[in-house]
Amino acid sequence: MSMKKWHLAGVIFTIIAGTLDHFIYQWSGKSVILAPFSAVNESTWEHLKLLAVPMLLFSLIEYFAYGKTFSNFLAVRTCCVLAGMASIIVMFYGCLALTGQHWLWTDISIFILAVILAHTLSFVLLKHGALTGMGWELTARILLALLVVSFVFFTGQPPHVFLFQDPVTGHYGM
């Protein structure tokens, strides 16, 4: 399968798995094991997991399918996951600032656009050999470790700032 088809499959996988990931915590009976990797409330932070977790899981599959041939695969994918997460934040709060409210259809559209953006960026960066070298590799490993630790820690002990507050309940974390 071509790299372009892998990225298209990644978009589809991330959208479907991310949508399911929105409900997994509730479906599991609020499993503390699944909590760091699924949305435990309606905060923006928790919704970032819906892009990051499926995209990282699909990246593992891609790595073994073709990613080993790219010395920059980890750096590119890490950059793209973070770019997708950042785009969710920017688009969500941008729309909220412009309209003063949010609708479910815009939230879903933002998620889909962020997934498409992240996978498209990945395709372009891999194709052009960007982010190569040990510095990028080391940076990617550190950032991925920090991301996973953040998902684990902030799920149970989030800072009390707007990004982590559930707009429905006003609570933070689990």
Side-chain angles (χ1 to χ4, degrees):
M1 190 158 66
S2 71
M3 188 172 69
K4 185 183 267 188
K5 287 182 180 176
W6 273 107
H7 279 81
L8 179 58
V11 167
I12 295 165
F13 177 86
T14 305
I15 290 169
I16 293 169
T19 301
L20 293 173
D21 198 24
H22 189 276
F23 305 102
I24 287 175
Y25 177 70
Q26 292 296 326
W27 290 344
S28 72
K30 299 186 178 183
S31 167
V32 294
I33 295 168
L34 295 176
F37 309 106
S38 59
V40 301
N41 65 36
E42 294 298 319
S43 72
T44 304
W45 172 258
E46 293 297 317
H47 282 78
L48 297 179
K49 296 175 187 178
L50 306 183
L51 178 140
V53 172
M55 192 166 174
L56 290 171
L57 287 174
F58 196 77
S59 295
L60 282 173
I61 296 166
E62 283 180 291
Y63 178 77
F64 291 109
Y66 75 91
K68 288 189 253 183
T69 63
F70 290 91
S71 63
N72 62 339
F73 187 82
L74 181 64
V76 165
R77 197 44 61 94
T78 301
C79 171
C80 294
V81 167
L82 295 173
M85 292 170 62
S87 68
I88 288 173
I89 294 169
V90 169
M91 287 189 283
F92 176 76
Y93 288 108
C95 286
L96 192 59
L98 289 173
T99 65
Q101 56 188 317
H102 73 92
W103 300 277
L104 180 60
W105 71 268
T106 57
D107 296 346
I108 294 168
S109 298
I110 287 168
F111 171 67
I112 291 169
L113 285 171
V115 169
I116 293 169
L117 176 124
H119 282 280
T120 301
L121 182 61
S122 173
F123 177 78
V124 170
L125 293 176
L126 283 173
K127 186 176 177 184
H128 293 289
L131 309 180
T132 57
M134 280 307 293
W136 286 109
E137 178 77 15
L138 178 61
T139 301
R141 288 176 187 223
I142 291 168
L143 288 173
L144 270 178
L146 287 172
L147 182 61
V148 171
V149 168
S150 296
F151 281 155
V152 172
F153 184 74
F154 292 147
T155 296
Q157 299 295 321
H160 286 222
V161 295
F162 70 97
L163 190 65
F164 298 87
Q165 185 175 29
D166 182 335
V168 176
T169 66
H171 295 113
Y172 297 86
M174 292 190 293

